[in-house]
Amino acid sequence: MNVRGATSADAEAMARVHTESSDAAYAHIGAAQPGAYERRLAVWREVLGHEHSAFVAEADDGSVVGVLSVGESREEDGVGEIYVIYVQPGSWGSSAGQLLIERAHEVLAARHDEAELTVLADNPRARRFYERNGWALDELRSEEHFGGQPAEVARYRRQLR
């Protein structure tokens, strides 16, 4: 398993991993959203077309199995944020997620003392993963997800340095 900086050539693979992982993680909440892959592909192309901190985890065969995007908090000055971290369901339990979150910690710690992330509260697998990696629950709140429907979101924080 290898983690490297993402390039514009990775957009399709990143959108695929993001969509497959999200669909699997939230299948118990509702059906997959029509057009999700296309929307995510457009977003990844936009992100990768500009200065960014996006990374992919590659399996030994070179296939992309995980995605990560980090940067400045969208809510709080001086705080970093993990925007996206997803691993393809077939690679859950591999080292991909661990390598990605360690890269997130490293990149964010270069600029920030603290970081945040949000995850749907009804995603116990992801929440356990974050907590094992030093993230602490900061608050639960309602945000729009899944076609504008309100959902409970868990916001986590972590000291980086």
Side-chain angles (χ1 to χ4, degrees):
M1 196 70 61
N2 175 51
V3 173
R4 63 169 174 80
T7 69
S8 58
D10 295 314
E12 290 181 16
M14 294 173 81
R16 178 186 45 77
V17 168
H18 189 166
T19 301
E20 290 174 5
S21 180
S22 180
D23 288 352
Y26 300 117
H28 65 286
I29 294 175
Q33 296 293 307
Y37 169 81
E38 291 78 11
R39 284 190 305 277
R40 289 184 178 120
L41 178 57
V43 169
W44 281 116
R45 284 182 172 152
E46 174 76 18
V47 166
L48 297 171
H50 300 338
E51 187 175 323
H52 62 82
S53 290
F55 302 87
V56 294
E58 292 179 315
D60 292 338
D61 65 3
S63 62
V64 173
V65 298
V67 299
L68 169 69
S69 178
V70 301
E72 301 290 325
S73 170
R74 293 171 281 193
E75 295 187 9
E76 191 174 339
D77 290 339
V79 174
E81 183 174 354
I82 294 179
Y83 304 132
V84 172
I85 182 170
Y86 281 103
V87 172
Q88 188 175 37
S91 295
W92 288 355
S94 74
S95 61
Q98 189 61 43
L99 291 171
L100 287 169
I101 203 157
E102 288 171 5
R103 179 64 58 92
H105 295 162
E106 173 188 320
V107 170
L108 291 169
R111 294 186 182 168
H112 306 285
D113 294 331
E114 186 176 25
E116 64 185 12
L117 63 82
T118 58
V119 61
L120 287 182
D122 196 9
N123 187 342
R125 180 185 189 96
R127 292 182 66 182
R128 286 190 305 271
F129 172 76
Y130 297 133
E131 290 166 6
R132 278 194 315 269
N133 280 280
W135 292 82
L137 181 63
D138 184 50
E139 69 176 328
L140 295 172
R141 62 184 180 196
S142 182
E143 292 182 1
E144 289 186 9
H145 282 276
F146 302 108
Q149 298 301 311
E152 187 175 43
V153 174
R155 179 177 165 162
Y156 282 83
R157 295 182 80 83
R158 184 182 193 278
Q159 290 298 310
L160 298 169
R161 54 184 182 182

